[in-house]
Amino acid sequence: MMKCAVILLLTSCFTWSSAIYTPNRAASKKLKFLLEPPVYPEVAGRRGDNVTLPCILRSKPSHYKIKWTKLQPEHVGPENIIMISNAHAFKPYGNLGQRASLRKAHTMDASLQLRHLELEDGGTYRCELVNGIEDESVDITLRIEGVVFPYQSKNGRYRFTFREAKEACAEQDGILATYSQLYRAWTEGLDWCNAGWLLDGTVHYPIIHPRPVCGGELLPGIRSYGPKDKDHDKFDAFCFTSQNSGSVFYISGSFSFEQAVRACRRVAAELALVGHLYAAWRFRNYDQCDGGWLRDGSVRFPISNPRERCGGIPEAGVRSFGFPNKTTHLYGAYCYR
């Protein structure tokens, strides 16, 4: 199966920018009312953060409205309006609108403030000045800072349809990753031989060190199987999560799964999710050289400081013992509260 994969190589055609301004107009047309700001090369935030997406007017027409929208991937689907504002009123729309406001730091400021970022908030946003004659806009991409983690069913490899993969990520405090998030994770060291669903319904896997069982004759890169049948084809999942408001801690012991559940409850906590453990490893450099039960029945441990007697792998990461028999009395517990 691996020999059929298509490889996407890191070449000059690949560029990475976490947040870039993209004018929505022909290159020859100059903006008259909106300022294309060169100040922020990137706007990024973690889940729970507040961010500002800049949009500054250079001049004002006599009558106008400011409309902020979030663009759908590939600009497919209905327009997702966040808010519309004029000199007298501000009207929010949808979930994003309830967390949005205009900064109004000065009379020419139409920048959008977003509160309490969520995992799904990443994407491209458009600030549009509408006056019915010379409408114009600028786009900016917001990146949610987080971590991509591969996730496999307790029943084994390649058991998720697309819908099941989405549900599996949600159950582990995550969402399906985008291609950009997987690509960034690959540049940061993610090397994984099993193919997984992404948010757009395509299937990929990232390889840094080619080896015989992972299409060894191909160069490093993001291997792709392209779009697949979302209802019938089955693969693993690449999930994405970010920081959270709780904390993960380890309770030492030789517990069965049920004993680990009770151990966490005794300290007013619950077994951590896989996403909780990855977020603690990524954002808090959590390092614990002991296998512990998680809520999905898997046993894992986070290593930020690789050493020979903690898995023997030179790269940092979250190690997994898979899904042992739940009656096994060998592991501690990773709790979350």
Side-chain angles (χ1 to χ4, degrees), residues 64-91:
Y64 70 95
K65 295 184 293 186
I66 293 294
K67 180 170 72 172
W68 274 95
T69 56
K70 185 182 180 188
L71 304 182
Q72 300 300 326
E74 309 300 327
H75 298 188
V76 174
E79 187 177 47
N80 184 7
I81 301 175
I82 301 170
M83 53 77 55
I84 297 176
S85 176
N86 59 26
H88 308 289
F90 174 95
K91 184 173 178 59

Side-chain angles (χ1 to χ4, degrees), residues 182-326:
L182 182 66
Y183 176 77
R184 187 178 185 90
W186 173 68
T187 67
E188 294 173 346
L190 181 60
D191 180 276
W192 198 253
C193 196
N194 293 343
W197 290 103
L198 296 182
L199 185 60
D200 62 358
T202 59
V203 175
H204 304 265
Y205 64 101
I207 293 295
I208 293 176
H209 305 293
R211 44 210 184 270
V213 295
C214 302
E217 72 280 7
L218 300 174
L219 295 174
I222 307 292
R223 312 279 171 82
S224 173
Y225 290 104
K228 290 295 182 179
D229 187 319
K230 293 181 179 181
D231 298 320
H232 297 98
D233 289 331
K234 294 188 176 183
F235 295 93
D236 293 342
F238 285 107
C239 305
F240 176 82
T241 194
S242 185
Q243 73 175 8
N244 50 60
S245 58
S247 61
V248 174
F249 58 96
Y250 178 76
I251 296 180
S252 179
S254 295
F255 303 134
S256 67
F257 177 77
E258 290 301 326
Q259 289 173 333
V261 171
R262 292 195 292 271
C264 290
R265 288 177 178 169
R266 282 195 292 269
V267 292
E270 56 188 352
L271 277 178
L273 300 173
V274 176
H276 293 155
L277 191 62
Y278 269 91
W281 166 74
R282 176 62 180 266
F283 295 111
R284 300 179 184 178
N285 295 316
Y286 191 32
D287 185 283
Q288 182 74 43
C289 190
D290 298 280
W293 291 103
L294 296 179
R295 203 183 311 174
D296 66 342
S298 66
V299 171
R300 306 172 195 253
F301 63 100
I303 294 296
S304 294
N305 178 29
R307 47 213 186 268
E308 185 176 349
R309 303 184 73 174
C310 291
I313 300 174
E315 293 84 14
V318 175
R319 317 282 193 246
S320 175
F321 289 114
F323 294 85
N325 187 310
K326 289 187 175 182

Side-chain angles (χ1 to χ4, degrees), residues 44 102 129 177 317:
L102 291 183
L129 184 146

Side-chain angles (χ1 to χ4, degrees), residues 11 50 58 83 95 97 127 131 162 164 176 196 200 222 232 275 305 316 335:
T11 67
N50 303 327
R58 70 169 74 223
M83 53 77 55
N95 174 52
C127 174
N131 71 351
F162 176 74
E164 290 167 343
L176 275 177
D200 62 358
I222 307 292
H232 297 98
N305 178 29
C335 306

Side-chain angles (χ1 to χ4, degrees), residues 24-82:
N24 179 37
R25 63 187 187 282
S28 59
K29 182 180 178 182
K30 294 287 187 180
L31 287 173
K32 179 178 180 181
F33 301 113
L34 292 176
L35 182 65
E36 185 179 342
V39 178
Y40 306 109
E42 174 178 306
V43 172
R46 301 174 182 178
R47 177 169 52 182
D49 285 353
N50 303 327
V51 297
T52 299
L53 307 183
C55 182
I56 308 297
L57 280 64
R58 70 169 74 223
S59 64
K60 293 182 179 181
S62 56
H63 300 284
Y64 70 95
K65 295 184 293 186
I66 293 294
K67 180 170 72 172
W68 274 95
T69 56
K70 185 182 180 188
L71 304 182
Q72 300 300 326
E74 309 300 327
H75 298 188
V76 174
E79 187 177 47
N80 184 7
I81 301 175
I82 301 170

